[in-house]
Amino acid sequence: MICLDSSKGRTQKSEPAAEHRQLTGRREVIDHVCGTIRSRSNQAVFLMAGPGLGKTSLTDAVSENLSSEMTILRIHGSSSLAKVPYGVLAPYTAALPLEEADSPVAVLRAVWAYFQELKAGKDVPLLLVIDDAHHLDEATANMVVDMMSAGWAGVLASGRPRPGLPQALNQLWYDGQAERIDLRPLNGEQVTEVVEHALHGTVPANTVQSLWSASGGNPMLLDCLLRDAVEAGILAKRNGIWLLLGPLPADGPRLSDVVVKDLLRRTPEEQDALRLIALAEPVDRGLIEDLCGAPVVRSLLDHQLVSESSGRHSQLRIWHAILGEAMRHQVSVSRSLQLRQKMEGHIDPVTAGAEGRLRLVEWSLECGMDVSDSDLLDAALLAAAMFNNSGARLMADHVTDPALRARAQSISARALFNEGKYREAAGLLDGCWLELAAAPEAPHVLMLRASAHLALGKPAELIRAESRKQLADAGNDPQASWQDRIHHLLEMAESADHEGIRNLISSLDDDEGLEAASGGPGSGAVKAKVAVAGAAGTRGSTSGYAESGDAGMERQRIEPLPATVTAATSAVAHALLAETLVSAGLAHQAHDAALAAAPSMQALQGGLYFFNEFVLTRLVSASLAAGNWESSEHELASPHAEENEGAATFGGGFQVLRGLGLLRQGQLERAYQVLLPAVEALRINDPLQQFRFGTALAFYAAARLGDGAQAQRLEQDLIAARHASGPGCELLAEAYAAAAAEYLDRKGSGLAKLRELAASPRVVAQPGTRLECLILCSDLGDRSVVDEISSLADYVEGRWAAGWHQLAQAWASEDADVLMETAAGLEEAGLVNLAREGYARAGAILDAAGERRRARQAVAHREKCDQELGERFRESPFVASVPSVHLTRRERDIVELAVQGLSDREIAQQLMVSVRTVEGHLYRSYVKLGVRRRDELALALPKK
């Protein structure tokens, strides 16, 4: 391909960059543009997009694709030549006399002569590719239109929507002679594909979410962030999974280079405005216009360097937040201080909003300016809630007032908790929770402390006992305290005591119970007194809760406790009731209980503890237990669940729940793809105590899919994970681990352990958990549990249990017609994996009865289910129709003997091999043939 770079004025061979450039998400655009140019359905194509969205990459790719069919001539617009007539065409007009340099006819003649030289006698079309066409001068734009109208060339132009293309080019679009394509930022799926392509590996959803949010889907920024994060070791590969180990670097060399180059293109006035906006964002537009001038602000908006909010107070931000952060790194401390002093007196804290006030506090600290302790605390709390962990700790550490140090400690603890540093967080909270007992944030601090200790593996019973002792040592009655009530709820949830939690909720609904929880007047208020001071008798907050000495103590004893106590107790109680009802098999009641926590959530917003995630986890678990897959996915896909700030902290736990739902639907391959990254993410952050449970699920999926090496590694992780599984999942983790062990070695010990677990008193007391244990036994081929599944599933709530009840009854009937009818109903209800089992059993019965035609119909239905489930080795498991599935001679011998009814030991004796060898060959045959059990082998083998 011949390419003229008009900015250099010489012809050169273009680099084959398009072959190596990743253009994920743009392939359809490239194909469409190439097709339009080839067909000449339009004389021109305009690619319009903001900076960094890949306009040049796309024009490169199109040029590469068309290079064998057309002569390509590239012209580069330039801001420095935007007002010079024919400035970008200077390489072609150098030989013209000075008096003809601005003559349209002379310039056109010179350009045409160059065209002919380029074509070298070849009769091929000419394509003008114009980069940064928004910088073309009007004279050049008119000439391009004239050449296109004369049929000399087609045009592919790229430009920015603001300020837009020259009028002559725009007129082509208005007249229908050109097609305009507006490029959009990459969406989530496209970002995932780009990231996985660039990193050559699996990337967890929360990592992709962070990269997508930071880059805004801008390919250039995404590339910079990826490269800088990998180089800095912040994006690292662990067990084949790429994990984000900290905040994305805003000071990396590539991102910094983008910022520096962009600043150098701006006027000094624009540079000052950009620095001010970056340092103070979000900042009032009027303020920047007063300081820098309205034309400067309009220019920045036109070039999409800053964005403007809508509303009563128009505020400006740097277009991409990560660029604003990178820009701040480019400003020296002395220059930053000058700009901060320049802004002093101009900023209205009211219109700045909470985020604006946070940035002002950060900016002041960066410059070494003094900030009041109350402002530091407010900003630190907001920073912790936004997962700006380092900023939150920095601001909390600057608090000097002894009366406010306890609050500062609690905020630092939340920042440490966000980072997965649970031991350090627990240590800080142990030292301040009693001192903050009467502050509005007291329930947040209490729950954060309990969660930190639970994450370290401490039982709720022990947490309660230690807390009661501390309350008693402080001179308070532990049994009457609201703190003990919440600890008691956690203890009852750990023992799956849903009736006890119900009774406590009932007491909250009584007048005396409400008074006791809130510290209101009456006898209940007297019982609810709690410690509000440490040994020094000092407590405090910026909201008027600071008192010292005996007078302060007396005031706290007669005033009502914060309303947040009532809200927190109710939210925790209903969420934990939902958790215990799930294990009890009462999924619908569990869902209602989780929803009942909603009225309490408003009073708990903006605090230290993650009550939203605490409740959401239980709500999703209830939906999954009921078999409401769509509801659970909707809840997991809610903006709150996937918001970027918390993605790195809570994303792993949410993905474990998603993986559980996929396993219950029989989508093993998809579940495995979700669970492996989730487990690696949980190694770093596990606020919901999901690591052990997630590891058990991933171990099960790996073993089921025959990934022995990964399964063995996960098994070791499971053994090493001594911490409890969160919400109510410890017994389920044991069940999935036992089933996985059986799939891994096929010795029978895993199945025996699973049966033993299902019969244990703890599991028998939890019908929902017991049903899942029995289902896992059934999947392993244990048909002795069919009757138990049928009776138990009739008691357990939800369509998933109802489906298993129908399937178990049909199994027990041994009637192929009943099985086929039941399977069809299950398939229609969306329980495809259960329908698959029904069709498979019906096919086996029909084949044994010699009804081959009907058996093949059952197999066809089973194959359809397999295809819908999308499991590995399941696309078409009927070997007669898939000749490519090949059994070795030894595998075939063993399978044929198994079909005849011989046991593994009998086969081993007949073939003179070990029982373990027989088990191994059979397992591999199952995978190749796409079957799960011995009784499906006959159907899967080709008929002789």
Side-chain angles (χ1 to χ4, degrees):
M1 178 182 77
I2 301 297
C3 169
L4 177 72
D5 186 339
S6 62
S7 65
K8 297 180 180 178
R10 66 177 184 270
T11 14
Q12 56 182 341
K13 194 75 173 177
S14 69
E15 296 296 329
E19 295 177 8
H20 308 290
R21 185 179 291 108
Q22 170 66 2
L23 289 167
T24 303
R26 307 298 196 199
R27 178 53 54 190
E28 288 186 7
V29 176
I30 294 169
D31 292 342
H32 177 74
V33 172
C34 289
T36 301
I37 293 172
R38 286 190 182 106
S39 67
R40 302 189 182 184
S41 56
N42 279 295
Q43 294 175 299
V45 176
F46 300 150
L47 295 175
M48 307 301 292
L53 288 180
K55 301 183 296 295
T56 300
S57 296
L58 280 172
T59 55
D60 286 347
V62 171
S63 300
E64 187 73 21
N65 287 349
L66 298 176
S67 60
S68 61
E69 309 168 37
M70 310 181 82
T71 297
I72 311 294
L73 182 67
R74 298 201 74 146
I75 299 174
H76 295 269
S78 169
S79 58
S80 61
L81 298 173
K83 296 183 179 180
V84 179
Y86 308 117
V88 296
L89 300 178
Y92 319 115
T93 61
L96 288 177
L98 184 61
E99 62 272 14
E100 294 184 3
D102 58 354
S103 167
V105 175
V107 172
L108 184 60
R109 188 185 303 117
V111 173
W112 176 249
Y114 187 81
F115 288 170
Q116 296 305 310
E117 181 185 339
L118 265 186
K119 293 173 72 170
K122 298 178 183 177
D123 186 20
V124 293
L126 179 70
L127 178 65
L128 282 176
V129 178
I130 308 172
D131 291 324
D132 292 336
H134 54 282
H135 287 317
L136 280 187
D137 61 277
E138 289 293 339
T140 301
N142 287 327
M143 180 165 290
V144 167
V145 172
D146 290 341
M147 288 189 290
M148 190 192 71
S149 300
W152 288 6
V155 174
L156 171 61
S158 66
R160 296 185 183 180
R162 297 172 71 175
L165 298 176
Q167 178 59 32
L169 294 178
N170 266 332
Q171 192 63 45
L172 292 174
W173 180 47
Y174 299 148
D175 295 341
Q177 298 179 56
E179 179 176 357
R180 172 173 168 154
I181 299 173
D182 289 282
L183 299 179
R184 303 298 181 193
L186 300 176
N187 61 32
E189 291 181 4
Q190 292 166 340
V191 169
T192 300
E193 192 175 345
V194 169
V195 170
E196 291 185 345
H197 175 90
L199 298 177
H200 304 290
T202 302
V203 187
N206 55 304
T207 298
V208 172
Q209 177 68 25
S210 296
L211 287 164
W212 182 25
S213 179
S215 67
N218 184 297
M220 178 185 68
L221 294 183
L222 180 61
D223 180 68
C224 291
L225 287 170
L226 275 174
R227 294 173 182 273
D228 287 344
V230 171
E231 191 174 284
I234 293 171
L235 191 58
K237 199 171 187 179
R238 301 280 180 85
N239 295 314
I241 309 296
W242 285 93
L243 298 174
L244 198 58
L245 305 180
L248 288 165
D251 56 352
R254 291 165 187 83
L255 194 61
S256 298
D257 187 54
V258 168
V259 170
V260 170
K261 288 180 178 177
D262 214 22
L263 281 173
L264 290 174
R265 296 189 188 103
R266 307 297 147 208
T267 66
E269 294 78 15
E270 288 175 338
Q271 290 181 24
D272 275 349
L274 282 170
R275 291 188 181 104
L276 274 175
I277 295 168
L279 288 165
E281 64 180 342
V283 61
D284 186 71
R285 175 175 177 170
L287 172 57
I288 300 299
E289 287 180 335
D290 291 342
L291 295 173
C292 303
V296 170
V297 172
R298 282 197 299 272
S299 175
L300 296 179
L301 288 168
D302 284 344
H303 287 91
Q304 295 183 310
L305 295 172
V306 299
S307 61
E308 181 181 15
S309 67
S310 57
R312 182 180 174 187
H313 298 289
S314 174
Q315 292 187 317
L316 300 177
R317 298 174 183 265
I318 299 299
W319 192 273
H320 294 285
I322 196 72
L323 283 180
E325 192 176 345
M327 205 171 290
R328 292 194 285 272
H329 285 288
Q330 303 296 321
V331 183
S332 67
V333 174
S334 58
R335 180 63 177 141
S336 180
L337 179 58
Q338 288 177 344
L339 293 172
R340 179 68 181 85
Q341 291 170 340
K342 184 178 181 180
M343 297 277 281
E344 194 69 30
H346 292 280
I347 300 176
D348 182 0
V350 176
T351 59
E355 193 178 348
R357 291 193 293 274
L358 168 59
R359 177 82 277 274
L360 288 176
V361 170
E362 288 179 318
W363 189 6
S364 298
L365 291 178
E366 291 163 4
C367 298
M369 296 177 65
D370 291 332
V371 182
S372 70
D373 283 347
S374 60
D375 286 343
L376 283 169
L377 280 177
D378 290 342
L381 178 59
L382 180 59
M386 295 173 65
F387 297 87
N388 178 1
N389 303 316
S390 59
R393 291 203 308 275
L394 175 68
M395 287 176 268
D397 288 345
H398 275 76
V399 174
T400 57
D401 186 349
L404 303 179
R405 282 302 302 159
R407 270 195 81 194
Q409 274 184 263
S410 68
I411 294 170
S412 293
R414 172 60 199 265
L416 290 166
F417 190 97
N418 288 345
E419 296 172 335
K421 299 174 181 176
Y422 304 122
R423 194 169 303 281
E424 295 94 323
L428 286 177
L429 292 163
D430 284 342
C432 68
W433 75 280
L434 274 176
E435 192 172 344
L436 295 171
E441 64 269 29
H444 292 267
V445 174
L446 188 79
M447 284 298 295
L448 188 61
R449 174 176 175 265
S451 294
H453 282 294
L454 288 170
L456 293 170
K458 183 178 287 188
E461 182 180 9
L462 181 57
I463 296 172
R464 184 187 183 198
E466 291 176 353
S467 301
R468 286 168 67 92
K469 183 177 184 305
Q470 291 178 44
L471 284 166
D473 290 345
N476 295 277
D477 179 7
Q479 192 170 355
S481 68
W482 63 265
Q483 292 97 330
D484 189 61
R485 184 178 296 233
I486 290 180
H487 285 138
H488 189 203
L489 282 167
L490 295 170
E491 184 181 355
M492 286 189 288
E494 205 167 73
S495 61
D497 183 5
H498 61 90
E499 289 300 334
I501 296 175
R502 277 192 199 274
N503 292 336
L504 196 149
I505 291 174
S506 296
S507 75
L508 289 176
D509 293 336
D510 297 335
D511 288 342
E512 185 174 349
L514 285 171
E515 289 170 0
S518 64
S523 59
V526 178
K527 295 179 182 179
K529 295 171 185 173
V530 295
V532 292
T538 305
R539 319 103 347 260
S541 78
T542 58
S543 302
Y545 288 92
E547 291 285 343
S548 60
D550 294 338
M553 290 285 288
E554 182 61 26
R555 175 184 173 185
Q556 294 294 350
R557 289 180 184 279
I558 62 174
E559 284 188 353
L561 286 172
T564 49
V565 171
T566 304
T569 306
S570 176
V572 171
H574 284 99
L576 294 178
L577 176 61
E579 174 186 317
T580 54
L581 287 172
V582 165
S583 61
L586 303 173
H588 293 322
Q589 295 180 46
H591 198 267
D592 291 342
L595 290 177
S600 305
M601 301 309 295
Q602 186 60 39
L604 300 171
Q605 297 302 308
L608 277 176
Y609 192 66
F610 42 92
F611 282 103
N612 281 325
E613 289 81 2
F614 186 84
V615 173
L616 178 62
T617 304
R618 277 76 184 175
L619 181 67
V620 173
S621 295
S623 294
L624 291 175
N628 294 330
W629 321 125
E630 298 82 3
S631 295
S632 65
E633 188 56 36
H634 176 74
E635 290 150 2
L636 285 171
S638 65
H640 180 78
E642 294 192 342
E643 65 183 8
N644 174 58
E645 291 88 351
T649 299
F650 296 100
F654 290 146
Q655 289 298 95
V656 164
L657 292 176
R658 184 171 275 125
L660 174 62
L662 292 170
L663 284 178
R664 286 175 175 170
Q665 294 174 71
Q667 298 183 36
L668 287 173
E669 182 70 18
R670 284 188 60 200
Y672 193 39
Q673 292 170 355
V674 167
L675 288 167
L676 271 184
V679 168
E680 296 307 318
L682 289 171
R683 292 183 197 277
I684 300 170
N685 277 311
D686 185 21
L688 302 171
Q689 294 90 58
Q690 294 279 54
F691 177 72
R692 182 173 167 79
F693 182 48
T695 303
L697 296 180
F699 174 31
Y700 174 81
R704 281 287 300 270
L705 291 170
D707 191 346
Q710 196 73 270
Q712 289 173 356
R713 180 184 67 79
L714 289 163
E715 185 178 25
Q716 292 306 310
D717 288 342
L718 188 64
I719 293 169
R722 302 182 185 280
H723 300 170
S725 294
C729 296
E730 178 58 31
L731 293 174
L732 275 184
E734 289 185 37
Y736 275 96
E742 181 63 23
Y743 281 112
L744 200 59
D745 60 25
R746 293 287 180 174
K747 291 181 178 179
S749 57
L751 181 57
K753 183 176 180 180
L754 192 53
R755 288 171 177 160
E756 182 182 345
L757 181 67
S760 66
R762 284 184 68 195
V763 174
V764 170
Q766 300 179 30
T769 304
R770 185 160 185 262
L771 176 63
E772 196 147 5
C773 290
L774 295 176
I775 289 170
L776 291 172
C777 289
S778 171
D779 280 342
L780 284 163
D782 182 3
R783 285 291 177 266
S784 66
V785 299
V786 169
D787 290 338
E788 288 182 89
I789 289 176
S790 177
S791 58
L792 192 59
D794 192 35
Y795 167 80
V796 174
E797 293 179 351
R799 69 168 185 165
W800 188 55
W804 273 103
H805 173 68
Q806 295 171 35
L807 179 61
Q809 283 191 320
W811 262 340
S813 73
E814 287 294 311
D815 186 319
D817 292 331
V818 172
L819 280 161
M820 290 292 289
E821 183 179 352
T822 300
L826 292 170
E827 186 178 6
E828 186 177 353
L831 301 171
V832 180
N833 58 323
L834 304 191
R836 190 253 179 218
E837 299 301 320
Y839 288 132
R841 183 58 187 153
I845 292 172
L846 291 168
D847 188 66
E851 297 187 48
R852 297 299 170 81
R853 184 184 63 81
R854 293 184 64 202
R856 286 182 178 277
Q857 289 178 344
V859 169
H861 284 294
R862 189 196 72 183
E863 288 177 354
K864 179 172 174 286
C865 293
D866 286 337
Q867 191 169 14
E868 187 171 343
L869 292 172
E871 293 185 47
R872 190 189 294 175
F873 308 120
R874 292 279 186 86
E875 291 185 0
S876 186
F878 189 53
V879 176
S881 61
V882 188
S884 59
V885 177
H886 174 69
L887 297 181
T888 66
R889 183 173 179 177
R890 176 64 77 185
E891 287 169 348
R892 188 175 184 86
D893 290 343
I894 290 175
V895 167
E896 287 179 347
L897 291 172
V899 169
Q900 294 173 23
L902 275 66
S903 67
D904 290 353
R905 185 168 298 280
E906 290 170 338
I907 295 172
Q909 290 173 350
Q910 184 164 330
L911 298 178
M912 292 185 293
V913 296
S914 68
V915 175
R916 189 173 181 82
T917 297
V918 172
E919 291 172 343
H921 281 303
L922 274 176
Y923 181 71
R924 284 188 289 275
S925 301
Y926 288 167
V927 172
K928 288 182 179 182
L929 299 173
V931 300
R932 295 186 179 188
R933 289 178 292 276
R934 227 179 181 91
D935 58 8
E936 297 177 14
L937 285 172
L939 275 178
L941 285 174
K943 306 305 176 185
K944 296 181 179 179

